[in-house]
Protein backbone atom coordinates (compact mmCIF):
# COMPACT_ATOMS: atom_id res chain seq x y z
CA UNK A 1 0.00 0.00 0.00
CA UNK A 2 2.85 2.37 0.83
CA UNK A 3 4.45 1.64 -2.54
CA UNK A 4 1.16 2.49 -4.26
CA UNK A 5 0.88 5.76 -2.34
CA UNK A 6 4.47 6.69 -3.27
CA UNK A 7 3.76 6.08 -6.94
CA UNK A 8 0.51 8.07 -6.87
CA UNK A 9 2.19 11.02 -5.15
CA UNK A 10 5.10 10.95 -7.60
CA UNK A 11 2.77 10.80 -10.57
CA UNK A 12 0.67 13.68 -9.29
CA UNK A 13 3.74 15.79 -8.54
CA UNK A 14 5.08 15.15 -12.05
CA UNK A 15 1.92 16.50 -13.72
CA UNK A 16 3.06 20.17 -13.85
CA UNK A 17 6.17 19.06 -15.73
CA UNK A 18 4.18 16.85 -18.09
CA UNK A 19 2.07 19.87 -19.00
CA UNK A 20 5.10 22.15 -19.25
CA UNK A 21 7.06 19.82 -21.57
CA UNK A 22 4.24 19.03 -24.00
CA UNK A 23 4.92 20.36 -27.53
CA UNK A 24 8.35 21.63 -26.45
CA UNK A 25 11.49 20.86 -28.46
CA UNK A 26 14.25 18.95 -26.65
CA UNK A 27 17.62 18.18 -28.24
CA UNK A 28 19.29 15.23 -26.48
CA UNK A 29 22.96 14.35 -26.95
CA UNK A 30 24.47 11.01 -25.94
CA UNK A 31 27.91 9.64 -26.72
CA UNK A 32 28.77 6.49 -28.58
CA UNK A 33 29.63 4.76 -25.29
CA UNK A 34 25.96 4.78 -24.34
CA UNK A 35 25.04 2.79 -27.44
CA UNK A 36 27.39 -0.04 -26.48
CA UNK A 37 25.94 -0.52 -23.00
CA UNK A 38 23.71 -3.56 -22.30
CA UNK A 39 21.04 -1.33 -20.76
CA UNK A 40 20.92 1.15 -23.65
CA UNK A 41 17.39 -0.02 -24.39
CA UNK A 42 16.32 1.54 -21.04
CA UNK A 43 17.42 4.91 -22.37
CA UNK A 44 15.52 4.25 -25.59
CA UNK A 45 12.41 3.47 -23.51
CA UNK A 46 12.79 6.83 -21.76
CA UNK A 47 13.06 8.57 -25.14
CA UNK A 48 9.87 6.81 -26.22
CA UNK A 49 8.12 7.92 -23.03
CA UNK A 50 9.09 11.55 -23.68
CA UNK A 51 7.72 11.26 -27.18
CA UNK A 52 4.45 9.75 -25.91
CA UNK A 53 4.10 12.73 -23.54
CA UNK A 54 4.20 15.13 -26.47
CA UNK A 55 7.86 16.21 -26.43
CA UNK A 56 9.29 17.13 -29.85
CA UNK A 57 12.44 15.05 -29.76
CA UNK A 58 15.75 15.47 -31.60
CA UNK A 59 18.44 12.88 -30.79
CA UNK A 60 22.11 13.52 -31.59
CA UNK A 61 24.42 10.55 -31.04
CA UNK A 62 28.19 10.24 -30.88
CA UNK A 63 30.36 7.58 -32.56
CA UNK A 64 33.85 8.13 -31.11
CA UNK A 65 34.37 4.64 -29.57
CA UNK A 66 32.92 2.97 -32.67
CA UNK A 67 35.42 4.82 -34.90
CA UNK A 68 38.28 3.96 -32.53
CA UNK A 69 37.29 0.30 -32.70
CA UNK A 70 37.31 0.34 -36.51
CA UNK A 71 40.68 2.10 -36.62
CA UNK A 72 42.40 -0.27 -34.17
CA UNK A 73 40.88 -3.36 -35.78
CA UNK A 74 42.69 -2.38 -38.97
CA UNK A 75 46.00 -2.04 -37.15
CA UNK A 76 46.08 1.75 -36.94
CA UNK A 77 46.20 4.22 -34.06
CA UNK A 78 43.50 6.91 -33.64
CA UNK A 79 45.01 10.37 -34.21
CA UNK A 80 43.85 13.37 -32.16
CA UNK A 81 44.98 16.95 -31.67
CA UNK A 82 43.36 19.17 -29.03
CA UNK A 83 40.80 16.37 -28.45
CA UNK A 84 39.67 16.53 -32.10
CA UNK A 85 40.12 13.55 -34.40
CA UNK A 86 42.33 13.92 -37.46
CA UNK A 87 40.19 12.30 -40.14
CA UNK A 88 42.24 11.18 -43.12
CA UNK A 89 40.67 9.46 -46.13
CA UNK A 90 40.94 6.00 -44.58
CA UNK A 91 39.52 7.10 -41.24
CA UNK A 92 36.64 8.79 -43.04
CA UNK A 93 35.52 5.39 -44.30
CA UNK A 94 35.46 4.13 -40.72
CA UNK A 95 33.48 7.22 -39.71
CA UNK A 96 30.84 6.45 -42.34
CA UNK A 97 30.63 2.81 -41.27
CA UNK A 98 30.35 3.70 -37.58
CA UNK A 99 27.68 6.34 -38.20
CA UNK A 100 25.63 3.94 -40.32
CA UNK A 101 25.85 1.08 -37.83
CA UNK A 102 24.94 3.24 -34.82
CA UNK A 103 22.09 4.96 -36.63
CA UNK A 104 20.58 1.62 -37.71
CA UNK A 105 20.93 0.24 -34.16
CA UNK A 106 19.10 3.22 -32.67
CA UNK A 107 16.39 3.13 -35.31
CA UNK A 108 15.86 -0.58 -34.65
CA UNK A 109 15.45 -0.02 -30.91
CA UNK A 110 13.06 2.89 -31.48
CA UNK A 111 11.01 0.63 -33.76
CA UNK A 112 10.35 -1.99 -31.10
CA UNK A 113 6.74 -2.65 -30.20
CA UNK A 114 6.67 -6.06 -28.50
CA UNK A 115 3.55 -6.58 -26.42
CA UNK A 116 4.26 -6.26 -22.72
CA UNK A 117 7.43 -4.20 -23.24
CA UNK A 118 7.81 -0.46 -22.49
CA UNK A 119 7.73 0.15 -26.26
CA UNK A 120 4.38 -1.58 -26.79
CA UNK A 121 2.12 0.63 -28.91
CA UNK A 122 4.75 3.37 -29.24
CA UNK A 123 4.79 3.36 -33.07
CA UNK A 124 7.67 5.83 -33.26
CA UNK A 125 8.72 7.07 -36.66
CA UNK A 126 12.35 8.10 -36.99
CA UNK A 127 13.59 10.67 -39.49
CA UNK A 128 17.25 11.07 -40.47
CA UNK A 129 18.77 13.11 -43.27
CA UNK A 130 21.23 15.69 -44.49
CA UNK A 131 20.20 18.32 -41.97
CA UNK A 132 23.77 19.46 -41.27
CA UNK A 133 25.89 21.44 -43.74
CA UNK A 134 29.58 21.44 -42.83
CA UNK A 135 32.90 22.89 -43.88
CA UNK A 136 36.49 21.69 -43.32
CA UNK A 137 38.18 22.60 -40.07
CA UNK A 138 41.34 23.15 -42.11
CA UNK A 139 44.87 23.49 -40.77
CA UNK A 140 45.34 24.49 -37.12
CA UNK A 141 48.72 24.71 -35.36
CA UNK A 142 50.25 23.27 -38.49
CA UNK A 143 48.02 20.18 -38.26
CA UNK A 144 45.82 19.32 -41.24
CA UNK A 145 42.57 17.91 -39.90
CA UNK A 146 41.69 16.59 -43.38
CA UNK A 147 38.03 15.47 -43.32
CA UNK A 148 37.28 16.73 -39.82
CA UNK A 149 34.85 19.59 -40.15
CA UNK A 150 32.73 22.09 -38.29
CA UNK A 151 29.07 22.97 -38.58
CA UNK A 152 28.29 25.58 -41.20
CA UNK A 153 24.48 25.53 -41.18
CA UNK A 154 21.57 23.57 -39.73
CA UNK A 155 18.46 23.06 -41.87
CA UNK A 156 16.10 24.05 -39.06
CA UNK A 157 13.09 24.26 -41.37
CA UNK A 158 13.48 20.65 -42.49
CA UNK A 159 13.87 19.45 -38.90
CA UNK A 160 10.78 21.38 -37.81
CA UNK A 161 8.82 19.80 -40.65
CA UNK A 162 9.73 16.34 -39.38
CA UNK A 163 8.85 17.29 -35.80
CA UNK A 164 5.52 18.71 -36.98
CA UNK A 165 4.78 15.28 -38.45
CA UNK A 166 5.31 13.72 -35.00
CA UNK A 167 8.62 12.12 -36.01
CA UNK A 168 11.66 11.69 -33.79
CA UNK A 169 14.63 13.24 -35.59
CA UNK A 170 17.91 11.31 -35.34
CA UNK A 171 21.11 13.13 -36.30
CA UNK A 172 24.59 11.62 -36.68
CA UNK A 173 27.79 13.68 -36.27
CA UNK A 174 28.22 13.83 -40.03
CA UNK A 175 28.06 16.95 -42.19
CA UNK A 176 27.86 17.50 -45.92
CA UNK A 177 29.20 20.29 -48.10
CA UNK A 178 27.46 21.78 -51.16
CA UNK A 179 30.17 20.14 -53.27
CA UNK A 180 29.23 16.69 -51.96
CA UNK A 181 32.05 16.18 -49.47
CA UNK A 182 31.49 14.38 -46.16
CA UNK A 183 32.93 15.64 -42.86
CA UNK A 184 33.38 14.07 -39.45
CA UNK A 185 31.98 16.43 -36.79
CA UNK A 186 31.99 16.77 -33.04
CA UNK A 187 28.68 15.36 -31.80
CA UNK A 188 28.54 17.93 -28.97
CA UNK A 189 28.96 20.73 -31.51
CA UNK A 190 26.21 19.29 -33.71
CA UNK A 191 23.82 19.01 -30.75
CA UNK A 192 24.61 22.58 -29.67
CA UNK A 193 24.13 24.06 -33.14
CA UNK A 194 20.91 22.09 -33.68
CA UNK A 195 19.49 23.32 -30.35
CA UNK A 196 20.40 26.92 -31.21
CA UNK A 197 19.01 26.72 -34.75
CA UNK A 198 15.72 25.25 -33.50
CA UNK A 199 15.62 27.63 -30.51
CA UNK A 200 14.88 24.52 -28.48
CA UNK A 201 13.48 24.75 -24.98
CA UNK A 202 16.14 22.33 -23.74
CA UNK A 203 19.53 20.95 -24.70
CA UNK A 204 20.14 17.77 -22.69
CA UNK A 205 23.66 16.35 -22.55
CA UNK A 206 23.91 12.79 -21.24
CA UNK A 207 27.37 12.61 -19.71
CA UNK A 208 29.63 9.84 -18.43
CA UNK A 209 29.95 11.37 -14.96
CA UNK A 210 28.44 13.99 -12.66
CA UNK A 211 29.41 17.63 -12.87
CA UNK A 212 30.87 18.22 -9.42
CA UNK A 213 32.23 21.20 -7.54
CA UNK A 214 36.05 21.38 -7.59
CA UNK A 215 35.95 22.58 -3.97
CA UNK A 216 34.08 19.76 -2.23
CA UNK A 217 33.44 17.24 -5.02
CA UNK A 218 29.68 17.53 -4.52
CA UNK A 219 27.32 17.49 -7.53
CA UNK A 220 26.45 20.96 -8.83
CA UNK A 221 22.69 21.45 -9.13
CA UNK A 222 22.54 24.69 -11.06
CA UNK A 223 24.75 27.23 -12.81
CA UNK A 224 24.22 30.42 -14.75
CA UNK A 225 26.18 30.90 -17.95
CA UNK A 226 28.38 33.43 -16.14
CA UNK A 227 29.15 30.85 -13.45
CA UNK A 228 29.95 28.24 -16.12
CA UNK A 229 32.37 30.64 -17.78
CA UNK A 230 34.11 31.29 -14.46
CA UNK A 231 34.26 27.57 -13.68
CA UNK A 232 35.83 26.75 -17.03
CA UNK A 233 38.43 29.50 -16.60
CA UNK A 234 39.27 28.80 -12.96
CA UNK A 235 39.29 24.99 -13.06
CA UNK A 236 41.77 23.72 -15.66
CA UNK A 237 41.61 20.24 -14.09
CA UNK A 238 37.96 19.69 -15.07
CA UNK A 239 37.50 16.37 -16.88
CA UNK A 240 37.56 17.00 -20.62
CA UNK A 241 34.12 15.51 -21.24
CA UNK A 242 32.54 17.62 -18.49
CA UNK A 243 34.28 20.75 -19.80
CA UNK A 244 33.02 20.11 -23.34
CA UNK A 245 29.47 19.58 -22.08
CA UNK A 246 29.58 22.71 -19.92
CA UNK A 247 30.87 24.74 -22.86
CA UNK A 248 28.06 23.38 -25.06
CA UNK A 249 25.47 24.22 -22.38
CA UNK A 250 26.85 27.74 -21.92
CA UNK A 251 27.00 28.45 -25.65
CA UNK A 252 23.46 27.20 -26.29
CA UNK A 253 21.94 29.23 -23.43
CA UNK A 254 23.79 32.38 -24.52
CA UNK A 255 22.21 31.98 -27.97
CA UNK A 256 18.59 31.48 -27.05
CA UNK A 257 18.13 27.96 -25.69
CA UNK A 258 16.12 28.29 -22.49
CA UNK A 259 17.74 25.54 -20.42
CA UNK A 260 20.60 23.06 -20.74
CA UNK A 261 20.99 19.98 -18.55
CA UNK A 262 24.03 17.80 -17.83
CA UNK A 263 22.83 14.37 -16.68
CA UNK A 264 24.88 11.34 -15.69
CA UNK A 265 23.57 8.64 -18.01
CA UNK A 266 24.80 5.85 -15.72
CA UNK A 267 21.97 6.56 -13.27
CA UNK A 268 19.00 4.49 -14.36
CA UNK A 269 16.07 6.79 -15.15
CA UNK A 270 18.20 9.92 -14.72
CA UNK A 271 16.51 11.60 -17.69
CA UNK A 272 13.07 11.17 -16.11
CA UNK A 273 14.28 12.20 -12.65
CA UNK A 274 15.76 15.40 -14.08
CA UNK A 275 12.72 16.36 -16.12
CA UNK A 276 9.83 15.29 -13.89
CA UNK A 277 10.95 16.00 -10.32
CA UNK A 278 11.31 19.35 -8.59
CA UNK A 279 15.04 19.31 -7.93
CA UNK A 280 16.17 16.91 -10.64
CA UNK A 281 19.35 14.86 -10.52
CA UNK A 282 21.72 16.65 -12.89
CA UNK A 283 23.20 20.09 -13.42
CA UNK A 284 20.93 22.78 -14.84
CA UNK A 285 22.49 25.62 -16.83
CA UNK A 286 20.56 28.77 -17.75
CA UNK A 287 21.39 32.30 -18.81
CA UNK A 288 19.78 33.61 -15.63
CA UNK A 289 19.02 32.03 -12.26
CA UNK A 290 16.28 29.44 -12.67
CA UNK A 291 14.67 30.45 -9.37
CA UNK A 292 13.39 34.01 -9.44
CA UNK A 293 11.02 36.34 -7.58
CA UNK A 294 8.72 38.20 -9.91
CA UNK A 295 5.34 39.84 -10.38
CA UNK A 296 2.54 37.31 -10.90
CA UNK A 297 0.43 37.17 -14.07
CA UNK A 298 -2.93 35.61 -14.89
CA UNK A 299 -1.08 32.53 -16.16
CA UNK A 300 0.18 31.94 -12.62
CA UNK A 301 -3.24 31.67 -10.96
CA UNK A 302 -3.43 27.88 -11.26
CA UNK A 303 0.00 27.48 -9.67
CA UNK A 304 -0.85 29.91 -6.86
CA UNK A 305 -4.09 28.08 -6.09
CA UNK A 306 -2.28 24.74 -5.98
CA UNK A 307 0.34 26.21 -3.64
CA UNK A 308 -2.07 27.80 -1.12
CA UNK A 309 -4.73 25.06 -1.13
CA UNK A 310 -3.12 22.94 1.65
CA UNK A 311 -2.70 26.04 3.83
CA UNK A 312 -6.34 27.03 3.26
CA UNK A 313 -7.44 23.53 4.26
CA UNK A 314 -5.42 23.81 7.49
CA UNK A 315 -6.96 27.21 8.25
CA UNK A 316 -3.60 28.98 8.06
CA UNK A 317 -4.75 31.07 5.08
CA UNK A 318 -8.16 32.49 4.24
CA UNK A 319 -9.78 30.73 1.30
CA UNK A 320 -9.54 32.68 -1.95
CA UNK A 321 -11.64 32.05 -5.03
CA UNK A 322 -10.18 32.05 -8.53
CA UNK A 323 -12.25 35.16 -9.26
CA UNK A 324 -10.73 37.02 -6.31
CA UNK A 325 -7.23 36.00 -7.39
CA UNK A 326 -7.93 37.18 -10.94
CA UNK A 327 -9.09 40.57 -9.65
CA UNK A 328 -6.06 41.01 -7.39
CA UNK A 329 -3.38 39.28 -9.44
CA UNK A 330 -1.51 42.57 -9.88
CA UNK A 331 -0.83 42.55 -6.13
CA UNK A 332 0.78 39.10 -6.09
CA UNK A 333 4.48 38.26 -6.06
CA UNK A 334 5.70 34.71 -6.69
CA UNK A 335 8.86 32.64 -6.43
CA UNK A 336 9.20 30.56 -9.59
CA UNK A 337 11.59 27.62 -9.70
CA UNK A 338 12.07 26.28 -13.23
CA UNK A 339 8.43 26.87 -14.13
CA UNK A 340 6.98 25.76 -10.77
CA UNK A 341 5.53 28.27 -8.30
CA UNK A 342 7.03 27.44 -4.91
CA UNK A 343 6.24 30.66 -3.04
CA UNK A 344 3.84 33.60 -3.16
CA UNK A 345 2.60 36.63 -1.27
CA UNK A 346 0.31 39.58 -1.87
CA UNK A 347 1.00 43.30 -1.37
CA UNK A 348 -2.21 45.29 -1.02
CA UNK A 349 -1.65 49.07 -0.96
CA UNK A 350 -4.24 50.95 1.10
CA UNK A 351 -6.23 53.91 -0.23
CA UNK A 352 -4.21 56.36 1.85
CA UNK A 353 -1.11 55.43 -0.15
CA UNK A 354 0.96 55.38 3.03
CA UNK A 355 0.36 51.81 4.21
CA UNK A 356 0.06 48.33 2.76
CA UNK A 357 -0.99 44.86 3.86
CA UNK A 358 1.11 41.75 3.39
CA UNK A 359 -1.19 38.80 2.78
CA UNK A 360 -1.18 35.19 1.53
CA UNK A 361 2.49 34.55 2.30
CA UNK A 362 3.11 30.89 1.48
CA UNK A 363 6.09 28.68 0.65
CA UNK A 364 5.86 25.13 -0.68
CA UNK A 365 6.45 22.53 2.05
CA UNK A 366 9.50 21.09 0.25
CA UNK A 367 11.24 24.49 0.23
CA UNK A 368 10.45 25.98 3.62
CA UNK A 369 13.97 25.54 4.99
CA UNK A 370 15.62 27.68 2.33
CA UNK A 371 14.79 31.14 3.76
CA UNK A 372 12.42 31.83 0.88
CA UNK A 373 9.89 33.43 3.22
CA UNK A 374 12.62 35.87 4.22
CA UNK A 375 13.33 36.54 0.54
CA UNK A 376 9.68 37.37 -0.14
CA UNK A 377 9.55 39.63 2.90
CA UNK A 378 12.74 41.41 1.85
CA UNK A 379 11.35 41.83 -1.67
CA UNK A 380 8.18 43.45 -0.26
CA UNK A 381 10.24 45.69 2.01
CA UNK A 382 12.16 47.01 -0.97
CA UNK A 383 8.93 47.39 -2.92
CA UNK A 384 7.41 49.38 -0.05
CA UNK A 385 10.40 51.73 0.04
CA UNK A 386 10.29 52.28 -3.72
CA UNK A 387 6.57 53.12 -3.52
CA UNK A 388 7.11 55.33 -0.43
CA UNK A 389 4.94 53.13 1.78
CA UNK A 390 5.52 54.04 5.42
CA UNK A 391 3.93 51.14 7.31
CA UNK A 392 3.27 47.46 6.60
CA UNK A 393 0.47 45.47 8.25
CA UNK A 394 -0.15 41.76 8.47
CA UNK A 395 -2.89 39.53 9.91
CA UNK A 396 -1.94 36.08 11.15
CA UNK A 397 -3.40 33.20 13.16
CA UNK A 398 -0.47 30.77 13.35
CA UNK A 399 2.71 32.57 12.25
CA UNK A 400 2.72 35.53 14.63
CA UNK A 401 6.11 34.68 16.12
CA UNK A 402 7.66 34.36 12.67
CA UNK A 403 6.67 37.95 11.89
CA UNK A 404 7.69 39.20 15.36
CA UNK A 405 11.16 37.69 14.82
CA UNK A 406 11.42 39.77 11.66
CA UNK A 407 10.66 43.10 13.25
CA UNK A 408 6.86 43.24 13.31
CA UNK A 409 5.05 44.54 16.38
CA UNK A 410 1.59 43.44 17.60
CA UNK A 411 -1.09 46.13 17.51
CA UNK A 412 -4.85 46.54 18.00
CA UNK A 413 -7.59 46.20 15.39
CA UNK A 414 -8.37 49.89 15.80
CA UNK A 415 -4.82 50.67 14.62
CA UNK A 416 -5.56 49.17 11.20
CA UNK A 417 -6.22 51.34 8.14
CA UNK A 418 -9.93 51.65 7.43
CA UNK A 419 -10.16 49.08 4.56
CA UNK A 420 -8.45 46.42 6.72
CA UNK A 421 -10.52 47.34 9.78
CA UNK A 422 -13.83 47.06 7.96
CA UNK A 423 -12.82 43.73 6.38
CA UNK A 424 -11.57 42.21 9.65
CA UNK A 425 -13.07 38.76 10.35
CA UNK A 426 -13.81 38.57 14.08
CA UNK A 427 -14.71 34.90 13.81
CA UNK A 428 -11.22 34.12 12.51
CA UNK A 429 -9.74 36.29 15.32
CA UNK A 430 -6.42 36.94 13.57
CA UNK A 431 -3.60 38.70 15.39
CA UNK A 432 -2.61 42.04 13.90
CA UNK A 433 0.98 43.26 13.48
CA UNK A 434 2.72 46.19 11.86
CA UNK A 435 6.22 47.30 10.87
CA UNK A 436 7.45 50.76 9.94
CA UNK A 437 9.40 50.82 6.70
Amino acid sequence: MEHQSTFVNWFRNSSPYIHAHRNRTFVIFFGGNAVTEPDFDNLIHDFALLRSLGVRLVLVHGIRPQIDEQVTEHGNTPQFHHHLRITDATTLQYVKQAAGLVRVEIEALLSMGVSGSPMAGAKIRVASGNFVTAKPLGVLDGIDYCHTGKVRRIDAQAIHQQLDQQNVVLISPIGYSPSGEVFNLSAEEVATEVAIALQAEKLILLTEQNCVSPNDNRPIQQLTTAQVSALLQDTPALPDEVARSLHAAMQSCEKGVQRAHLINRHVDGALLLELFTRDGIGTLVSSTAFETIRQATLDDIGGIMELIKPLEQQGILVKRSREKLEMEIGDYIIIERDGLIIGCTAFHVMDDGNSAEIACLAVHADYQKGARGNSLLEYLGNKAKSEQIQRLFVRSTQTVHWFVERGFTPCEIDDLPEPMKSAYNYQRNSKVLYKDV
Side-chain angles (χ1 to χ4, degrees):
M1 192 68 179
E2 182 179 347
H3 174 73
Q4 292 176 341
S5 177
T6 300
F7 170 77
V8 169
N9 288 334
W10 174 85
F11 201 50
R12 285 172 176 164
N13 289 334
S14 69
S15 61
Y17 302 99
I18 294 174
H19 299 318
H21 298 334
R22 185 176 293 118
N23 296 322
R24 299 296 190 266
T25 300
F26 292 2
V27 177
I28 302 180
F29 158 80
F30 52 96
N33 289 323
V35 183
T36 64
E37 295 290 338
D39 59 355
F40 179 58
D41 55 345
N42 288 339
L43 193 56
I44 291 291
H45 298 160
D46 293 345
F47 294 157
L49 178 57
L50 290 181
R51 178 65 202 87
S52 70
L53 293 174
V55 175
R56 293 158 58 91
L57 209 55
V58 180
L59 306 178
V60 180
H61 68 85
I63 53 174
R64 177 171 287 196
Q66 287 81 5
I67 300 172
D68 288 344
E69 182 180 359
Q70 293 273 0
V71 172
T72 53
E73 278 185 0
H74 288 83
N76 299 313
T77 302
Q79 300 294 316
F80 292 90
H81 184 67
H82 290 324
H83 307 292
L84 286 174
R85 188 185 300 277
I86 299 171
T87 311
D88 59 21
T90 301
T91 305
L92 181 61
Q93 299 308 310
Y94 304 147
V95 170
K96 293 177 182 178
Q97 293 174 28
L101 288 170
V102 171
R103 179 175 58 82
V104 169
E105 178 69 17
I106 295 171
E107 288 179 349
L109 291 172
L110 286 170
S111 300
M112 289 191 303
V114 178
S115 178
S117 77
M119 297 291 290
K123 296 181 180 179
I124 293 175
R125 294 176 301 179
V126 184
S128 302
N130 57 339
F131 301 120
V132 182
T133 301
K135 60 183 179 181
L137 191 58
V139 178
L140 297 176
D141 300 329
I143 302 296
D144 186 354
Y145 282 88
C146 303
H147 298 282
T148 297
K150 61 188 302 183
V151 175
R152 180 177 177 182
R153 186 176 66 85
I154 302 294
D155 192 346
Q157 182 179 2
I159 297 175
H160 277 303
Q161 287 174 348
Q162 295 297 331
L163 295 174
D164 291 342
Q165 295 173 26
Q166 312 303 314
N167 296 333
V168 170
V169 175
L170 179 62
I171 300 178
S172 301
I174 299 289
Y176 307 92
S177 73
S179 59
E181 293 179 275
V182 178
F183 293 101
N184 177 30
L185 306 176
S186 159
E188 289 97 335
E189 182 196 2
V190 172
T192 303
E193 294 298 332
V194 168
I196 293 170
L198 297 177
Q199 288 295 279
E201 277 72 26
K202 292 184 184 294
L203 169 62
I204 299 170
L205 301 136
L206 299 178
T207 60
E208 298 299 312
Q209 56 189 300
N210 291 323
C211 178
V212 299
S213 169
N215 299 322
D216 55 18
N217 212 38
R218 296 177 62 182
I220 301 174
Q221 285 193 314
Q222 61 196 69
L223 291 166
T224 64
T225 51
Q227 290 171 328
V228 171
S229 179
L231 184 63
L232 291 173
Q233 291 178 10
D234 299 340
T235 317
L238 271 178
D240 178 61
E241 188 239 358
V242 172
R244 290 201 310 270
S245 295
L246 282 172
H247 185 270
M250 177 180 68
Q251 184 181 6
S252 63
C253 289
E254 287 177 341
K255 295 186 178 179
V257 176
Q258 294 181 12
R259 299 281 190 270
H261 303 254
L262 277 65
I263 309 172
N264 186 341
R265 70 168 182 85
H266 294 285
V267 179
D268 186 34
L271 185 61
L272 304 181
L273 290 168
E274 177 71 6
L275 294 176
F276 296 102
T277 61
R278 289 193 181 95
D279 293 317
I281 196 173
T283 300
L284 171 66
V285 177
S286 57
S287 57
T288 57
F290 84 126
E291 182 174 313
T292 58
I293 299 180
R294 64 170 176 81
Q295 179 77 45
T297 69
L298 288 172
D299 292 335
D300 299 319
I301 289 178
I304 293 173
M305 294 186 70
E306 186 175 346
L307 173 67
I308 66 177
K309 182 179 178 180
L311 299 175
E312 292 176 343
Q313 292 173 340
Q314 297 170 39
I316 297 174
L317 292 179
V318 177
K319 289 187 177 181
R320 291 165 172 81
S321 66
R322 174 177 284 271
E323 290 75 17
K324 183 174 178 61
L325 282 172
E326 289 178 355
M327 291 174 60
E328 298 179 346
I329 194 62
D331 292 349
Y332 278 78
I333 307 298
I334 64 168
I335 301 178
E336 182 182 29
R337 182 180 175 88
D338 199 24
L340 179 71
I341 296 174
I342 64 167
C344 76
T345 189
F347 187 77
H348 304 306
V349 178
M350 300 294 106
D351 293 340
D352 59 13
N354 296 321
S355 56
E357 180 187 15
I358 296 174
C360 196
L361 198 155
V363 176
H364 193 285
D366 292 344
Y367 297 94
Q368 288 178 356
K369 294 183 179 181
R372 290 175 175 85
N374 291 339
S375 297
L376 284 170
L377 205 57
E378 182 180 358
Y379 184 96
L380 294 185
N382 293 331
K383 182 177 175 65
K385 290 178 182 177
S386 67
E387 297 182 13
Q388 298 183 334
I389 300 297
Q390 299 175 8
R391 178 168 288 189
L392 297 174
F393 290 92
V394 65
R395 289 175 283 180
S396 177
T397 58
Q398 299 182 38
T399 56
V400 173
H401 283 187
W402 188 87
F403 283 103
V404 170
E405 290 168 3
R406 284 151 183 83
F408 283 78
T409 303
C411 63
E412 301 298 328
I413 298 172
D414 288 341
D415 296 326
L416 293 173
E418 186 54 42
M420 289 185 66
K421 188 188 302 184
S422 59
Y424 184 82
N425 185 340
Y426 285 90
Q427 184 175 358
R428 187 170 169 80
N429 196 28
S430 300
K431 301 294 184 181
V432 182
L433 305 95
Y434 79 95
K435 181 180 181 180
D436 290 327
V437 177

